[in-house]
Amino acid sequence: MRATPAQLETSEIGHSLMDPFGRAITYLRVSVTDRCDFRCVYCMSEDMAFLPKRDLLTLEELDRICSAFVAKGVRKLRITGGEPLVRRDIMTLFGSLARHLESGALDELTVTTNGSQLARHAKDLAACGVRRVNVSLDTLDPDKFRAITRWGDLAKVMQGLDAAQGAGLKVKINAVALKGVNEDELETLLEWAHGRGMDLTLIEVMPLGEIDGQRIDQFLPLSMVRARLSGRYTLQDLDDRTGGPARYVRVKETGGRLGFITPMTHNFCESCNRVRVTCTGQLFMCLGQEDAADLRAPVRASESNDLLDRAIVDAIARKPKGHDFIIDRRHSRPALSRHMSVTGG
Ligand code: SAM
């Protein structure tokens, strides 16, 4: 049911952000750059045009926006991209956001990364209060890894994982399930991840942005993967919700957790508690819809946060109920022209 303006006003006074469907917004994902040192085939085309640097929010502006959300009740902040760890001086942002962990205003500061730069940043991330990192890794085969990422070096990612675990960071592996590419390797990935004490989450490919190729050729429904894994493993449903869209099971034989993110075969919008800010300050209330609010203009218009706060509250008041992605032969165009690297995966 939609909240009345009076209810919205009340939630605003209570320093929390409530959307029209009664969902409290407690999770912010922030893309700090649209650039990446990989060109994953399902994510980007080979010759991506990136934004001019002047369009990007500065690190100070990113801090201001994150802090405005924290003041309004966001408890979890995820830094993402593009590849967040390729942004120059990015540790300055982690260092300044750490104050919200210290004050208790924020429960968690995390990062989603391809792992290529983790070896040099893992210790600093831990020192800034980061406790968990998500590392995207779709295969353990170096040649396949290069083919999927077009440019990536698996050995560097492995060094990054060693460094992260060495620094005491809890690592979760995210793998996009790709038909005919890594579908025969998912059990190997599972055994490997759980063997190293890392959770594994499988993701269905989503129709975001133009790529060189057809989505339908990549799409592997996780319902099929789950059915196949069930033949070999005992999958015990878990109630764990990490504030994200994943549904988790415990794999009895390995003792590890396995997550499924199924935007295509199972819509997870009803419990959505998140919004996303891009590196240019666009606030997207839904990953799968076009509507966005500009936060860069209010940030740059004044040193006080009044305009920024108003823009955030107004935007949350129009968060949509959900998305409706479709992948089939008739829908060969992407559902959205934006790449995941723009909105922040
Ligand atoms: N560079 C970082 C990384 O690799 O994790 C953060 C950004 S990346 C866009 C975030 C996640 O989105 C990655 O796990 C990536 O595999 C996933 N991703 C990108 N495009 C996708 C798509 N079209 N469908 C599903 N997942 C996608």
Side-chain angles (χ1 to χ4, degrees):
M1 216 173 64
R2 277 179 182 272
T4 63
Q7 283 169 321
L8 287 174
E9 215 45 51
T10 311
S11 58
E12 191 187 337
I13 291 164
H15 300 291
S16 68
L17 294 168
M18 189 73 82
D19 83 355
F21 302 95
R23 298 170 295 192
I25 307 306
T26 54
Y27 182 3
L28 176 67
R29 298 171 75 105
V30 182
S31 174
V32 295
T33 175
D34 62 329
R35 287 162 199 261
C36 188
D37 49 347
F38 292 175
R39 291 287 180 281
C40 297
V41 290
Y42 51 81
C43 186
M44 294 186 178
S45 57
E46 189 155 15
D47 55 343
M48 291 286 288
F50 292 111
L51 295 163
K53 292 226 166 92
R54 64 175 179 278
D55 286 354
L56 300 193
L57 295 171
T58 64
L59 295 174
E60 293 74 19
E61 288 167 341
L62 283 164
D63 181 289
R64 236 179 105 190
I65 290 176
C66 291
S67 301
F69 275 95
V70 171
K72 295 200 159 304
V74 160
R75 308 282 317 171
K76 178 170 172 181
L77 212 49
R78 178 174 297 282
I79 304 300
T80 178
E83 173 46 43
L85 300 184
V86 301
R87 173 133 186 194
R88 188 191 294 253
D89 293 334
I90 190 62
M91 282 305 139
T92 316
L93 180 64
F94 282 99
S96 68
L97 292 174
R99 71 188 184 281
H100 299 305
L101 292 169
E102 285 153 19
S103 75
L106 196 61
D107 293 331
E108 204 176 16
L109 176 61
T110 58
V111 59
T112 298
T113 171
N114 64 25
S116 68
Q117 313 295 317
L118 256 183
R120 66 188 174 105
H121 287 311
K123 271 197 186 134
D124 290 341
L125 286 170
C128 292
V130 173
R131 295 286 164 261
R132 300 190 306 142
V133 295
N134 286 0
V135 178
S136 304
L137 180 62
D138 304 326
T139 178
L140 295 172
D141 174 327
D143 294 331
K144 216 186 268 183
F145 184 79
R146 187 166 292 277
I148 294 174
T149 60
R150 290 196 179 102
W151 301 349
D153 178 1
L154 181 62
K156 265 180 93 177
V157 175
M158 290 298 169
Q159 286 160 15
L161 288 173
D162 290 342
Q165 291 193 301
L169 298 173
K170 229 176 145 18
V171 178
K172 177 161 80 75
I173 300 293
N174 284 339
V176 177
L178 297 163
K179 186 158 79 182
V181 178
N182 63 359
E183 64 175 300
D184 58 345
E185 219 196 313
L186 298 176
E187 292 180 7
T188 312
L189 261 173
L190 173 89
E191 300 267 355
W192 167 79
H194 288 182
R196 287 186 60 142
M198 306 183 294
D199 289 345
L200 171 69
T201 294
L202 301 176
I203 307 173
E204 280 175 351
V205 78
M206 288 175 259
L208 300 175
E210 290 282 2
I211 52 161
D212 314 320
Q214 289 260 17
R215 294 276 175 202
I216 186 81
D217 296 332
Q218 303 176 334
F219 179 55
L220 177 63
L222 287 185
S223 46
M224 280 175 57
V225 174
R226 188 178 168 143
R228 211 180 301 160
L229 290 175
S230 299
R232 169 138 181 221
Y233 300 99
T234 316
L235 307 182
Q236 302 164 324
D237 280 317
L238 294 173
D239 283 337
D240 310 14
R241 300 307 301 262
T242 54
R247 298 279 189 279
Y248 286 98
V249 296
R250 171 85 51 208
V251 181
K252 197 173 161 210
E253 290 75 4
T254 62
R257 277 199 329 163
L258 172 65
F260 297 93
I261 299 186
T262 55
M264 306 305 301
T265 55
H266 179 266
N267 185 305
F268 45 66
C269 304
E270 70 281 357
S271 58
C272 182
N273 61 354
R274 63 186 54 195
V275 290
R276 296 171 150 86
V277 173
T278 70
C279 54
T280 57
Q282 295 291 302
L283 169 61
F284 282 95
M285 285 68 80
C286 173
L287 177 65
Q289 302 280 358
E290 299 283 6
D291 187 26
D294 179 26
L295 301 183
R296 189 178 58 186
V299 159
R300 291 190 176 168
S302 137
E303 279 182 15
S304 123
N305 275 0
D306 294 350
L307 293 174
L308 174 62
D309 286 345
R310 189 76 255 163
I312 292 172
V313 170
D314 288 351
I316 300 300
R318 51 175 217 268
K319 181 170 161 69
K321 199 167 180 191
H323 63 249
D324 30 36
F325 292 136
I326 309 175
I327 294 185
D328 64 23
R329 293 274 170 211
R330 283 179 304 128
H331 297 79
S332 57
R333 310 280 306 161
L336 292 174
S337 54
R338 267 187 347 262
H339 288 90
M340 187 82 149
S341 54
V342 172
T343 328

